[in-house]
Amino acid sequence: MSHEHYMQRCLQLAQQAKGHTAPNPMVGAVLVHSGRVIGEGWHHHYGAAHAEVNCLDNVAVQDKHLIPESTMYVSLEPCAHQGLTPPCALRLVAEKVKHVVIANKDPFARVNGKGIAMLEGAGIQVTTGIMEAEGLWVNRHFFCAHTHKRPYVILKWAQTADGYIGTTGRRSIQISGPESMALSHKWRTEEGAIMVGHTTALNDDPRLTARLHHGKQPLRIALDRDLSLPSTHHLFDEDAATWIVNERDETIAGNVHYIQLPFDEQLLPALLTRLYDAHILSVIVEGGAALHRSFIQQGLWDEARVITSPLQAGEGLAAAIPKGHVAAYTQQVGKDTLQIYTRRGSAYSYIQGQEL
């Protein structure tokens, strides 16, 4: 079997922990001896053992003696620092693994080549760059955060077949079908935060929680420049932590954190910096169109998820379509069509056959 075959398995294993590892990356590992897989593992959740450790621990007792003659495939460079768990590179050295094959170098400052250097310094053969682009896609949140010092930004909206996201008179309209709604709630459990603008928060009174899929709740974020949102709105309930971004106050009241920032051209960059400092690796921006346009105009978006229903509105509020986008993926979801776009020139491009 090729290096790519085993690395693809690493990436599959890694994504079993989607939504549970942040702010750590998703990592999978496979140990191979003479063409036979003798161990597999992945990083299950933040604070737990890393993929390489789980892989080695899962080797059967009768195969332990084969480890020094085996090749470890791992989707990200083994860590070289003491965090919540010991350095994985040291474990590989201690086990005298013969060869380590890696998809991506770790951009985290405390690793960033140090794990590879530790392995090579112990005489272990290291091969890098196997399915590198696929690895970047799988861990795009992690790479974006550590490369650009901001979360990975996903624009998401549902639109009618003729391109409208709502009515001009704010009349309530359900655009997407039940299957798309369930998928959207699944996405919420996989991302760090979910954000809406003031008009959407005020008029729609959204919950911004995952109710149709089991998993963690994202941090809720709403723009409220003058603190005019009613305290009876769902955003102020106890269902999830909330940031209310405003110009007047920086306080914490229960699960609501009032974030004070200037409402000028630096609002979005400053907010993304605050999220990065809080170890939030990704944010879904659910609307409205004006907020989407602001992210697009400042080049602060990485991915767009557009759900198009068969409904025709005739008129209404038009979606903000990003310029310079690349069509990445299309899928039917019930009666709706899901389209995924990435920003042209981004290092994180969808690879055919990979999971979202």
Side-chain angles (χ1 to χ4, degrees), residues 265-326:
E265 67 278 0
Q266 289 303 309
L267 172 61
L268 296 183
L271 175 57
L272 293 178
T273 297
R274 288 289 293 266
L275 288 168
Y276 170 78
D277 290 341
H279 306 296
I280 300 295
L281 301 190
S282 62
V283 56
I284 297 179
V285 183
E286 289 227 344
L291 184 57
H292 285 154
R293 278 192 291 271
S294 294
F295 275 96
I296 292 167
Q297 289 166 1
Q298 296 190 48
L300 294 174
W301 71 282
D302 300 286
E303 183 179 329
R305 300 179 182 180
V306 184
I307 296 170
T308 303
S309 83
L311 298 175
Q312 295 279 347
E315 62 177 6
L317 302 172
I321 306 300
K323 294 181 179 179
H325 66 268
V326 178

Side-chain angles (χ1 to χ4, degrees), residues 166-297:
T167 62
T168 52
R170 303 303 304 180
R171 177 176 54 85
S172 178
I173 177 174
Q174 179 61 49
I175 295 175
S176 57
E179 297 89 352
S180 294
M181 288 288 291
L183 179 60
S184 295
H185 282 230
K186 177 178 180 290
W187 289 340
R188 292 178 182 185
T189 69
E190 297 171 351
E191 309 302 336
I194 182 169
M195 180 179 180
V196 293
H198 180 266
T199 300
T200 299
L202 179 65
N203 294 329
D204 294 355
D205 188 15
R207 295 179 184 273
L208 302 185
T209 54
R211 303 178 301 283
L212 303 178
H213 190 86
H214 178 72
K216 68 174 182 60
Q217 298 294 347
L219 170 70
R220 303 180 295 192
I221 306 169
L223 299 182
D224 187 18
R225 182 174 189 167
D226 299 316
L227 296 177
S228 60
L229 290 176
S231 60
T232 53
H233 269 32
H234 293 303
L235 286 170
F236 298 92
D237 63 28
E238 298 295 322
D239 291 347
T242 304
W243 281 13
I244 301 297
V245 182
N246 70 97
E247 274 194 330
R248 297 184 176 183
D249 198 14
E250 178 84 34
T251 58
I252 298 176
N255 70 318
V256 178
H257 188 171
Y258 293 88
I259 302 290
Q260 187 176 17
L261 292 173
F263 273 57
D264 55 23
E265 67 278 0
Q266 289 303 309
L267 172 61
L268 296 183
L271 175 57
L272 293 178
T273 297
R274 288 289 293 266
L275 288 168
Y276 170 78
D277 290 341
H279 306 296
I280 300 295
L281 301 190
S282 62
V283 56
I284 297 179
V285 183
E286 289 227 344
L291 184 57
H292 285 154
R293 278 192 291 271
S294 294
F295 275 96
I296 292 167
Q297 289 166 1

Side-chain angles (χ1 to χ4, degrees), residues 132-133 136-137 140 147-148 302 343-350:
E132 184 175 14
L136 281 173
W137 176 258
R140 57 199 184 276
T147 302
H148 303 294
D302 300 286
R343 185 166 51 83
R344 188 178 303 279
S346 170
Y348 321 109
S349 299
Y350 175 73

